Amino acid sequence: MCSSIGRTSESNGVTGVLEIARSLPENVTLGEVLGPYEGKLSARECVEVLGLMGQEDGLTMCCLYFFEWMSLQEPSLVTPWAYSALFPVLGRARMGDRLMVLFNNLPDSMEFKQVHVYNSAISALSYCGRYDDAWRLFETMEEHNVKPDHVTCSIMITVMRKTGNTAKEAWEFFETLNVRGLKWSLEVMGSLIKSFCDEGLKKEALIIQLEMEKKGIASNTIIYNTIMNAFSKSDQMEEAEGLFAEMKAKGIEPTTASYNILMDGYSRRMQPEVVEKLMTEMEEIGLRAGPLIHAYSIGGWHEKADIAFENMKRDGVRPSIETYTALLDAFRRSGDTESLTRIWKTMISEKVRGTRVTFNILVDGFAKQGRYQEARDVISEFGKIGLKPTVMTYNMLINAYARGGVESKIPQLLKEMAVLELKPDSITYSTVIYAYVRVRDFKRAFYFHKQMVKSGQVPDARSYYKLRSILDVKAATKNKKDKSAIMGIISNKLGWVKIKKKGKKDEFWKNKKKWSGARSSDSGGRR
């Protein structure tokens, strides 16, 4: 059977290999059936195969076996670009261990010590939450005389944001690389603006945008959407509208996301007439009308969302997954689990494949109403199409179980996370602590508080202050030295105590832990 597959596809080149991979029999690896292709594929074609194969669900292992086959050819077909194509595939598949093995065994030739290889590996590790490893790879760049470029900087600023570093620290990181020759670019400025907007520092984000444009780097839709969204979330709709108008005046076409941002803001203000006006404008410029349901969802008008959905179907418009997801969100917000079930069954019957957002909305909607078995069923169903639960999924479950008075299930949920190699984040720990405080189980609350500190997963200063205020009363009765040690770690992490720097001010690489607070805490915990 394997040989017949090879014969029928031998002359098809890149597409032939893809066909074989898609129909590969069980217990057969891709390399075993590629004999007819030996000497007939170029290194460039192999990179193309890796890229195309990596975009298809279920072919990750085929990518690895094909890469192995490439390395066994004479001469080897493995190039730096082959690594750059494979690393993102492994990142999306959460195969960080495999990625690190491949990276650590890169050929010694300087040909493979190129910045695009590092960038693809660091980005992939970041995608699967391996931030420590991402930092280590970044640090090795200097050892191998590889100069970080604007893509590297953009990726690392994103890593910093996800590991809890402040926007100010991200800016200092950029300035250090800027002094070393890194130039301003749209990617880097976009990452910095995102960091400032996430902290609500909208004026600072606007200043960065202005300076960026002074240097000849034009803003794009993503930049405007990011800043507009920050103003919208702060209920500063006049400012958001002003940016929207400015964007159009510059000839930058608004996207569906641009209109969604405005509609979300006006929905929260309970102004449906403005939402409908924006919808009309969207339709006039040819954008899809599905966001109306999304706007109704945000505004809490689930009946209107359902009517709009039925009208859409009656008019012969086939609902997209985004439309279904928006409708599910409307019923999740209203607590209507029966309608959640109805819409989900419709999706299944119509063979509409859900996304991770759909998945989390369903889990949250069922779990919050005490329908834990249905939530588990959703996890099972989505697992069949390769969408595994994430930390966010478990945070939703833990919160629902805690509020439903079933905090006894929390240890089991944490065990499940460990089995899936999902590391609890600051939200996980805070949710667990609040759950035990609610039932006055302070022993467990303090236990998980210590675990949170040791793992470096401390929430932002405002959230932590609220949590600490609750624990302080009970903490006063505990060992003062123990409390002082814990609070000292927290104060340092949140910048409440100024840390004395060692070494010269310009020794960037020796003071890198300033930008990887979460990493240093992890290392401390392991000691």
Side-chain angles (χ1 to χ4, degrees):
M1 182 176 180
C2 298
S3 59
S4 65
I5 290 175
R7 285 195 300 272
T8 57
S9 300
E10 181 178 349
S11 62
N12 294 337
V14 171
T15 56
V17 175
L18 288 173
E19 289 172 9
I20 293 174
R22 290 169 185 146
S23 58
L24 198 65
E26 282 188 50
N27 302 319
V28 175
T29 63
L30 184 58
E32 294 173 352
V33 296
L34 293 183
Y37 287 89
E38 292 185 7
K40 296 187 178 177
L41 284 175
S42 67
R44 184 173 181 177
E45 287 174 321
C46 288
V47 172
E48 186 180 351
V49 170
L50 286 171
L52 293 171
M53 200 182 296
Q55 294 172 14
E56 299 191 23
D57 291 338
L59 295 185
T60 302
M61 292 307 299
C62 283
C63 283
L64 280 168
Y65 283 119
F66 182 68
F67 186 84
E68 181 183 41
W69 178 83
M70 291 166 58
S71 69
L72 296 174
Q73 302 309 298
E74 291 291 343
S76 172
L77 295 171
V78 174
T79 64
W81 290 105
Y83 281 99
S84 292
L86 180 61
F87 287 155
V89 177
L90 299 180
R92 289 192 294 272
R94 305 295 195 276
M95 297 175 70
D97 289 337
R98 291 286 186 100
L99 190 157
M100 288 302 297
V101 169
L102 285 171
F103 187 88
N104 290 332
N105 287 282
L106 276 170
D108 290 332
S109 168
M110 285 304 296
E111 176 191 4
F112 289 86
K113 304 296 191 297
Q114 295 190 35
V115 68
H116 68 81
V117 176
Y118 279 88
N119 288 344
S120 62
I122 293 170
S123 179
L125 289 167
S126 172
Y127 187 91
C128 58
R130 300 281 290 261
Y131 304 122
D132 287 358
D133 290 327
W135 268 105
R136 291 188 188 102
L137 260 60
F138 175 68
E139 291 162 10
T140 62
M141 294 181 74
E142 187 194 34
E143 298 171 16
H144 295 142
N145 296 315
V146 180
K147 187 177 180 180
D149 63 7
H150 65 282
V151 176
T152 320
C153 185
S154 177
I155 296 168
M156 294 313 300
I157 288 172
T158 300
V159 169
M160 292 175 72
R161 188 175 75 247
K162 291 183 177 180
T163 52
N165 293 98
T166 66
K168 181 183 176 183
E169 289 169 331
W171 178 261
E172 290 172 353
F173 173 80
F174 162 70
E175 282 193 317
T176 302
L177 292 185
N178 186 230
V179 168
R180 290 170 172 259
L182 180 77
K183 295 181 179 180
W184 289 51
S185 73
L186 187 61
E187 294 88 349
V188 174
M189 294 303 106
S191 298
L192 284 168
I193 287 171
K194 173 67 174 169
S195 294
F196 279 93
C197 284
D198 281 0
E199 290 185 24
L201 301 172
K202 302 176 287 295
K203 291 181 180 178
E204 289 81 355
L206 287 171
I207 291 171
I208 294 173
Q209 183 196 25
L210 181 61
E211 290 300 314
M212 174 185 85
E213 292 180 343
K214 284 181 180 178
K215 291 182 179 292
I217 303 169
S219 295
N220 61 8
T221 309
I222 295 174
I223 296 289
Y224 271 103
N225 286 350
T226 301
I227 305 175
M228 281 169 54
N229 191 45
F231 278 110
S232 175
K233 286 182 176 179
S234 300
D235 196 29
Q236 294 175 275
M237 295 308 300
E238 291 74 16
E239 288 82 354
E241 283 270 21
L243 287 165
F244 185 67
E246 179 184 303
M247 175 172 65
K248 291 194 291 185
K250 289 181 177 179
I252 301 172
E253 292 292 334
T255 62
T256 300
S258 311
Y259 281 96
N260 271 342
I261 289 165
L262 293 179
M263 289 191 291
D264 285 354
Y266 285 114
S267 295
R268 286 189 292 269
R269 282 190 174 187
M270 303 300 285
Q271 293 180 263
E273 68 285 350
V274 181
V275 172
E276 289 170 1
K277 182 180 178 182
L278 287 164
M279 276 302 307
T280 302
E281 184 179 325
M282 281 187 69
E283 292 173 354
E284 288 174 352
I285 64 174
L287 293 178
R288 297 180 65 175
L292 178 60
I293 294 173
H294 176 69
Y296 284 145
S297 167
I298 295 294
W301 307 309
H302 57 280
E303 298 93 345
K304 285 189 175 184
D306 205 12
I307 292 170
F309 180 75
E310 293 301 327
N311 289 341
M312 182 185 297
K313 290 200 299 182
R314 188 181 64 245
D315 293 339
V317 179
R318 181 179 174 82
S320 65
I321 181 54
E322 291 81 13
T323 305
Y324 275 109
T325 301
L327 188 61
L328 287 169
D329 191 42
F331 289 119
R332 175 187 69 90
R333 292 170 185 271
S334 68
D336 186 348
T337 53
E338 300 307 318
S339 293
L340 271 181
T341 304
R342 170 171 58 85
I343 299 301
W344 185 26
K345 286 183 178 178
T346 301
M347 286 178 61
I348 294 172
S349 65
E350 296 288 337
K351 296 182 179 179
V352 178
R353 187 186 178 93
T355 66
R356 191 168 295 283
V357 177
T358 320
F359 168 38
N360 284 333
I361 285 173
L362 283 165
V363 171
D364 190 49
F366 285 124
K368 277 184 176 176
Q369 301 304 316
R371 306 279 284 270
Y372 306 119
Q373 187 54 53
E374 284 93 333
R376 291 289 192 174
D377 290 342
V378 170
I379 293 173
S380 176
E381 285 299 315
F382 276 82
K384 293 176 183 177
I385 62 171
L387 289 176
K388 303 298 182 184
T390 62
V391 174
M392 180 186 291
T393 310
Y394 275 95
N395 288 347
M396 291 174 176
L397 287 174
I398 291 170
N399 182 55
Y401 276 106
R403 291 187 176 278
V406 200
E407 66 282 342
S408 59
K409 297 289 185 180
I410 290 177
Q412 178 59 36
L413 293 172
L414 293 173
K415 286 180 182 178
E416 289 178 21
M417 290 182 71
V419 170
L420 294 170
E421 297 183 351
L422 298 174
K423 294 182 179 180
D425 60 13
S426 62
I427 297 174
T428 314
Y429 284 114
S430 297
T431 305
V432 172
I433 292 168
Y434 278 121
Y436 286 120
V437 166
R438 195 176 293 116
V439 295
R440 304 186 68 77
D441 187 345
F442 293 102
K443 182 178 180 180
R444 291 194 179 187
F446 280 117
Y447 170 77
F448 284 107
H449 177 239
K450 286 185 178 180
Q451 294 300 309
M452 177 176 72
V453 173
K454 287 181 180 178
S455 67
Q457 294 294 337
V458 182
D460 61 90
R462 185 179 300 176
S463 299
Y464 185 74
Y465 180 80
K466 180 182 177 182
L467 178 62
R468 198 179 79 167
S469 296
I470 294 172
L471 294 177
D472 264 349
V473 175
K474 290 292 175 181
T477 62
K478 292 177 67 63
N479 185 283
K480 290 184 178 179
K481 183 178 180 181
D482 181 51
K483 177 189 173 185
S484 176
I486 294 174
M487 296 312 172
I489 297 172
I490 295 298
S491 296
N492 286 343
K493 185 167 290 297
L494 297 178
W496 295 344
V497 174
K498 192 167 184 179
I499 303 172
K500 185 176 180 181
K501 297 180 181 178
K502 295 180 180 179
K504 298 178 182 178
K505 291 183 178 179
D506 61 343
E507 291 183 24
F508 165 63
W509 300 103
K510 292 183 180 179
N511 293 312
K512 59 190 176 296
K513 292 186 180 179
K514 167 183 180 180
W515 296 296
S516 55
R519 273 189 64 239
S520 57
S521 291
D522 284 341
S523 300
R526 284 191 292 270
R527 287 197 293 270

